[in-house]
């Protein structure tokens, strides 16, 4: 099994230096600027923006600017989705103009609202069309272009190795593979060994993704896939420090160590989201994060207290509720042992 020191080593991507090989996955509605800044501060090697619809970005739709704006991190990576080459190219130019160091093309999202528009993982059903998008983006910008994909649309069409090979030939510098098909969504267990077929098909770096949440799982996915790096998504719910912890080789690295520290951390995240989105939108956007923090670290909080936190329209009441919850309801094993 690979040593975890492998994950701590840097990676060069078309001249862009990535500090380690444990990445935060792009997650729509989750990996916004406050979340990415936290994951980076905890040591994630690379953080990726939420998926941005290229057509909406090209048309200047409100809100897209928040998804692509530079947050001051050393490497700014923007993920684009779409099915029209002209929009993908224009979206890439806009993102690069805003300071994007890397452009990622989404060919892995399984959501019906995305695949229904023949974007995301639906592109794996038509590789010629998928490659036309790759070529358009590569031709539009000078920064490295990457692709995130699944194993295929379903078990009868496991064409990720072919897509990766053709993407490399078109100029893509790295591919990320989630070890499930689109039709699996997030059911069952990710097939880490299947990612090895993609690694064998290309000479560019391959990133393995799916069901990783601990240093042991990260080492195993590298062993089974032969990949060069690991990307982690849902394990970050309520724990923006996961990628950094795994890069450091420990599940307890750099987490808030006391109930008060955790309360301060969550309140800070909440306030940053209100600052980014404004009070009205920020209240709604933050609720899922607050729910995950409570689920993960304060499951002992009362039903009434939880309801107040997640439904209140008054930030002061939410903050007071959070402080009460994390002082009184902490059940996180890490925090109990640190107390």
């Amino acid at each position: 099994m690979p040593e975890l020191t492998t994950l701590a080593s840097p990676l060069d991507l078309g001249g862009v230096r990535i500090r380690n090989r444990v990445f935060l996955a792009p997650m729509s509605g989750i990996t916004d600027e406050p979340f990415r800044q936290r994951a980076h501060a905890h040591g994630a090697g690379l953080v990726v923006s939420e998926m941005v619809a290229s057509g909406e970005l090209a048309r200047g739709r409100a809100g897209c600017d928040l998804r692509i704006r530079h947050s001051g991190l050393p490497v700014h990576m923007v993920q684009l989705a779409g099915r029209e080459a002209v929009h993908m190219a224009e979206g890439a130019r806009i993102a690069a103009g805003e300071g994007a160091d890397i452009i990622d093309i989404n060919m892995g999202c399984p959501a019906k609202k995305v695949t229904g528009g023949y974007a995301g993982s639906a592109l794996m059903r038509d590789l010629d069309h998928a490659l036309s998008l790759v070529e358009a983006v590569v031709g539009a910008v000078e920064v490295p272009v990457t692709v995130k994909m699944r194993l295929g649309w379903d078990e009868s069409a496991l064409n990720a190795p072919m897509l990766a090979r053709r993407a490399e030939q078109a100029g893509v510098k790295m591919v990320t593979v989630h070890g499930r098909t689109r039709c699996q969504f997030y059911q069952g267990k990710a097939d880490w060994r299947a990612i090895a077929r993609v690694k064998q098909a290309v000479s560019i770096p391959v990133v393995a993704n799916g069901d990783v949440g601990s240093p042991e799982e990260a080492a195993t996915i590298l062993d089974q896939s032969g990949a060069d790096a690991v990307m982690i998504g849902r394990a970050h719910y309520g724990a923006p420090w996961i990628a950094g912890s795994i890069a450091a080789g420990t599940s307890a690295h750099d987490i808030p160590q006391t109930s008060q520290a955790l309360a301060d951390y969550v309140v800070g995240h909440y306030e940053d989201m209100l600052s980014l989105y404004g009070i009205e939108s920020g209240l709604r956007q933050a609720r899922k994060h607050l729910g995950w923090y409570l689920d993960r670290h304060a499951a002992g909080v009362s039903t009434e207290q939880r309801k107040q936190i997640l439904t209140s329209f008054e930030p002061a009441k939410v903050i007071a509720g959070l402080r009460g919850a994390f002082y009184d309801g902490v059940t996180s094993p890490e925090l109990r042992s640190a107390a």
Side-chain angles (χ1 to χ4, degrees):
M1 184 174 294
E3 295 290 332
L4 287 172
T5 51
T6 301
L7 294 173
S9 64
L11 177 67
D12 181 83
L13 183 61
V16 178
R17 186 181 186 276
I18 300 170
R19 61 179 176 176
N20 67 56
R21 299 172 185 241
V22 188
F23 307 159
L24 169 68
M27 293 180 283
S28 186
I30 300 169
T31 55
D32 58 11
E33 184 176 307
F35 199 96
R36 297 196 307 274
Q37 288 177 327
R38 280 164 173 73
H40 174 80
H42 288 296
L46 185 65
V47 298
V48 192
S49 77
E50 303 174 76
M51 176 181 68
V52 184
S54 59
E56 294 180 359
L57 178 59
R59 290 189 290 269
R61 181 170 176 176
C64 288
D65 56 330
L66 292 181
R67 294 192 172 203
I68 68 166
R69 79 175 188 180
H70 203 298
S71 56
L73 301 180
V75 178
H76 182 40
M77 185 171 181
V78 172
Q79 187 187 71
L80 297 177
R83 65 163 279 103
E84 301 294 337
V86 64
H87 289 156
M88 290 293 286
E90 180 61 16
R93 282 190 286 267
I94 293 170
E98 290 294 321
D101 300 293
I102 305 169
I103 304 292
D104 186 61
I105 301 175
N106 184 315
M107 296 190 182
C109 180
K112 291 181 180 179
K113 67 179 181 181
V114 176
T115 60
Y118 302 102
S121 55
L123 292 168
M124 299 193 74
R125 305 183 78 176
D126 185 348
L127 296 194
D128 288 341
H129 182 66
L131 265 293
S132 74
L133 305 186
V134 171
E135 292 165 353
V137 173
V138 170
V141 295
E142 296 183 0
V143 301
V145 175
T146 64
V147 175
K148 190 171 190 294
M149 64 185 72
R150 288 199 163 215
L151 297 177
W153 178 260
D154 58 28
E155 291 294 331
S156 69
L158 301 178
N159 55 2
M162 183 180 298
L163 174 57
R165 185 184 306 115
R166 293 183 63 181
E168 179 183 19
Q169 293 168 351
V172 161
K173 301 301 184 183
M174 182 175 75
V175 296
T176 299
V177 186
H178 183 111
R180 290 181 174 88
T181 65
R182 183 272 173 180
C183 290
Q184 286 180 278
F185 286 87
Y186 295 98
Q187 300 301 310
K189 180 75 172 66
D191 187 348
W192 296 343
R193 295 185 186 279
I195 300 172
R197 292 193 287 272
V198 178
K199 177 61 181 172
Q200 293 160 6
V202 298
S203 59
I204 55 177
V206 172
V207 184
N209 174 224
D211 294 345
V212 175
S214 69
E216 295 75 20
E217 288 168 339
T220 301
I221 197 173
L222 286 185
D223 181 51
Q224 294 185 2
S225 68
D228 303 277
V230 177
M231 182 173 279
I232 302 168
R234 292 170 295 155
H236 284 96
Y237 291 1
W241 49 81
I242 289 293
S245 294
I246 290 174
T250 171
S251 298
H253 173 74
D254 201 27
I255 67 171
Q257 292 295 310
T258 66
S259 298
Q260 180 175 348
L262 181 61
D264 290 343
Y265 185 95
V266 176
V267 168
H269 191 173
Y270 180 64
E271 291 176 334
D272 284 351
M273 292 190 73
L274 297 185
S275 177
L276 177 67
Y277 296 111
I279 300 296
E280 183 177 350
S281 178
L283 282 167
R284 297 193 305 272
Q285 299 271 8
R287 283 171 178 161
K288 56 181 170 290
H289 292 283
L290 301 185
W292 290 327
Y293 282 124
L294 292 171
D295 290 343
R296 192 159 193 153
H297 307 291
V301 69
S302 72
T303 301
E304 184 59 32
Q305 198 172 8
R306 179 186 175 88
K307 180 179 178 181
Q308 176 189 331
I309 292 168
L310 299 183
T311 61
S312 176
F313 288 94
E314 298 180 46
K317 288 186 177 180
V318 174
I319 290 170
L322 288 170
R323 293 199 179 281
F326 289 112
Y327 285 132
D328 302 333
V330 168
T331 59
S332 168
E334 296 96 335
L335 291 177
R336 286 204 309 271
S337 63

